[in-house]
Amino acid sequence: QGFIMNQRNEIFISRKVRAAVAMVFDFEWSNKNLFYGQYTRNECYFDNNPEMKAKGLPNDEVKSILEKIRKKYGPSFVPKTTLTKPVGAPGQGRSLENNIKMANALLDSAGWEMGANGIRSKNGKEMVVKMILSSPLFQRIVEPYKNNLKKIGINLEIKVVQIAKYEETLRNFNFDMIVANYPQSRSPGNEQRSMWSSESESTPGSRNYMGIKNPAIDELINNIVEAKSRKKLVNAIKAMDRILTHQFYIVPNWY
């Protein structure tokens, strides 16, 4: 589960921007003050699954897959951190103060300048982001996050809509951010196409809410679907999971 960033909005095209947006969500504070400490933070897309979760640095087989696919498609599609860092939320384990400082530096380097009104802008476009919710119950969770985003020059507008309108909004990808979850089976397969493939990016009603168009992920989805052994299936999943996680497509929530 996470706050989805829709790359169909040009604000979220930059990986630096997505990292900055993700690292100012203070999960530890929310877990303590809103959830009574009952949740664990999501670190990746196949979390809470001992067989499939990508732990630590990639093993030799997964590393080999990532190196080959990175050489084929380049660092913009397969970040170097997929090989050099474990999975996890950006800024996880650091203080909110440090994360806010780092997020501001990332936005500066991405060309988003802080305005006199406290909102960043680039080429005349302000960093105003609308989060669509289907229930007012989530507002108390999003409000503290909104306050943190303000500290890095992003104005988050929260809008609660009726369920029919919400479903239409999702179907047509007419949003900047939403809350969504991605439950997985013990044997992932063809359904991965609807979630992450380039084809599904332009398919109304798909679950590719982030607007992912990544040929490296497309190739790994094919490897998952066509895997001839359990080992090959799991290795392809771990490689794909690392790319998804290190592209910062979502602000990871909890389970």
Side-chain angles (χ1 to χ4, degrees):
Q1 178 176 293
F3 303 135
I4 306 297
M5 291 174 270
N6 187 355
Q7 294 173 89
R8 299 169 185 88
N9 180 334
E10 62 184 279
I11 288 175
F12 294 128
I13 292 174
S14 167
R15 180 172 174 262
K16 288 182 179 180
V17 170
R18 297 196 301 269
V21 170
M23 68 175 54
V24 297
F25 174 60
D26 193 347
F27 167 76
E28 286 74 19
W29 183 93
S30 296
N31 196 35
K32 179 181 177 182
N33 293 281
L34 302 177
F35 308 139
Y36 309 104
Q38 63 184 323
Y39 289 116
T40 299
R41 188 160 200 194
N42 282 126
E43 293 187 331
C44 60
Y45 292 77
F46 291 82
D47 214 332
N48 202 25
N49 183 327
E51 182 189 21
M52 296 180 185
K53 181 177 180 179
K55 303 183 188 76
L57 298 180
N59 64 29
D60 290 343
E61 291 168 321
V62 175
K63 183 179 180 181
S64 177
I65 293 170
L66 289 168
E67 286 175 340
K68 287 176 183 176
I69 213 162
R70 188 170 190 267
K71 185 176 181 180
K72 184 174 181 180
Y73 296 111
S76 60
F77 293 112
V78 185
K80 184 180 180 180
T81 51
T82 59
L83 294 160
T84 60
K85 291 186 178 181
V87 295
Q92 193 168 352
R94 294 196 301 263
S95 69
L96 176 63
E97 184 180 17
N98 284 340
N99 283 338
I100 288 172
K101 185 177 180 180
M102 185 171 291
N104 274 314
L106 284 169
L107 293 175
D108 288 341
S109 67
W112 289 89
E113 298 179 353
M114 188 71 82
N117 60 352
I119 304 299
R120 290 180 180 272
S121 64
K122 182 178 180 180
N123 300 327
K125 180 181 178 68
E126 287 193 325
M127 281 195 123
V128 178
V129 175
K130 185 176 289 184
M131 181 179 283
I132 306 295
L133 301 175
S134 62
S135 168
L137 297 175
F138 233 89
Q139 280 184 278
R140 73 186 184 102
I141 299 167
V142 178
E143 286 289 350
Y145 179 45
K146 175 180 178 176
N147 294 336
N148 290 343
L149 286 171
K150 189 174 182 180
K151 295 173 183 176
I152 62 172
I154 300 175
N155 180 19
L156 181 70
E157 298 177 352
I158 304 168
K159 185 177 182 181
V160 181
V161 299
Q162 293 182 335
I163 191 65
K165 177 66 175 177
Y166 186 75
E167 292 296 334
E168 180 189 354
T169 298
L170 262 59
R171 176 173 175 78
N172 297 306
F173 312 117
N174 189 23
F175 57 84
D176 300 328
M177 295 184 79
I178 57 168
V179 182
N181 56 45
Y182 287 93
Q184 297 285 0
S185 76
R186 295 289 178 181
S187 295
N190 202 47
E191 77 287 343
Q192 302 299 308
R193 298 191 197 280
S194 177
M195 298 176 185
W196 335 111
S197 73
S198 298
E199 181 183 3
S200 66
E201 186 273 339
S202 58
T203 304
S206 82
R207 303 201 71 225
N208 188 347
Y209 301 131
M210 301 89 152
I212 298 171
K213 294 178 74 174
N214 187 326
I217 291 176
D218 293 337
E219 182 169 325
L220 287 169
I221 292 172
N222 288 335
N223 292 349
I224 290 166
V225 174
E226 297 169 5
K228 302 299 183 185
S229 70
R230 184 73 180 177
K231 189 174 183 180
K232 287 186 176 180
L233 172 71
V234 171
N235 285 339
I237 287 168
K238 287 182 176 180
M240 183 180 74
D241 198 2
R242 287 181 185 275
I243 296 174
L244 288 169
T245 303
H246 285 279
Q247 284 286 7
F248 312 131
Y249 293 130
I250 72 171
V251 183
N253 283 176
W254 51 82
Y255 65 90

